[in-house]
Amino acid sequence: MDPSELYTVWAPRVTVAAVIERDGRFLIIEEETDKGLRLNQPAGHLEAGESLAQAACRETLEETAHPFLPEGLLGTYLWRPGGEAAPTYLRFAFVGAAGDPVPGRSLDEGIRRAFWIDADELRARQAEHRSPLVMRCVDDYLRARASGRPWLALDALYTHPAILDKHHG
């Protein structure tokens, strides 16, 4: 093996998602993708200067117009949508509550709508999911809730102050 290969840094793309359930229904977005309209949790990429929880709050507000109050970490998920050359995504899925939508707030470009759907309806529409992580996160949420397993506390996700900028926190 070439010694330079030993020091190649692999860097997955870091994303966040919000799993929000209210009265048996989940907040989902419908978004335009290169493969047509797809369903997803409010989700997106971690930006410089923000913590993982801040990213989940920002993405939820941008994509749904609902403020998000994270309560804990559901789990972390690694996924690659294609062959070895495709990027790998590292998703941090948060559980929490959504406030009422902010009146007059527009949704991010490419987001058609945000809506509430129950798990069975979502499962029936798996062909429309942005990734297999959509249903996996809902199923993990339902299993954890049914078993009484608590979410990982938010203080388990430490962000050094040098990372944070004044814009995000």
Side-chain angles (χ1 to χ4, degrees):
M1 177 181 270
D2 180 339
S4 67
E5 291 178 26
L6 295 174
Y7 302 104
T8 301
V9 175
W10 173 70
R13 297 180 182 180
V14 177
T15 63
V16 295
V19 179
I20 304 165
E21 184 261 343
R22 182 187 292 167
D23 300 324
R25 299 171 74 77
F26 292 88
L27 184 57
I28 296 294
I29 61 159
E30 184 177 63
E31 62 184 328
E32 298 170 8
T33 73
D34 58 353
K35 295 182 179 176
L37 287 178
R38 293 290 183 251
L39 304 179
N40 200 2
Q41 278 95 13
H45 293 270
L46 175 68
E47 292 182 359
E50 65 186 356
S51 71
L52 291 163
Q54 288 169 337
C57 293
R58 176 185 50 76
E59 287 291 349
T60 301
L61 185 61
E62 290 174 354
E63 294 186 353
T64 71
H66 289 267
F68 176 58
L69 177 63
E71 298 167 359
L73 182 70
L74 174 64
T76 59
Y77 303 82
L78 274 173
W79 177 64
R80 184 171 47 216
E84 287 184 33
T88 300
Y89 295 90
L90 173 59
R91 176 188 256 207
F92 291 82
F94 289 86
V95 172
D100 292 332
V102 176
R105 182 168 178 102
S106 60
L107 305 181
D108 259 3
E109 185 176 329
I111 304 298
R112 287 280 184 93
R113 66 184 177 127
F115 63 101
W116 297 90
I117 186 170
D118 71 35
D120 290 335
E121 292 173 287
L122 187 61
R123 189 171 287 103
R125 297 177 66 178
Q126 285 189 62
E128 299 171 66
H129 292 185
R130 176 85 186 249
S131 80
L133 300 182
V134 174
M135 201 69 231
R136 175 63 192 249
C137 286
V138 168
D139 286 339
D140 287 354
Y141 170 88
L142 292 170
R143 274 191 297 275
R145 191 184 66 190
S147 71
R149 178 182 69 80
W151 320 122
L152 183 62
L154 293 175
D155 62 3
L157 297 169
Y158 175 72
T159 303
H160 189 275
I163 297 296
L164 301 175
D165 67 27
K166 61 183 175 241
H167 173 67
H168 291 99

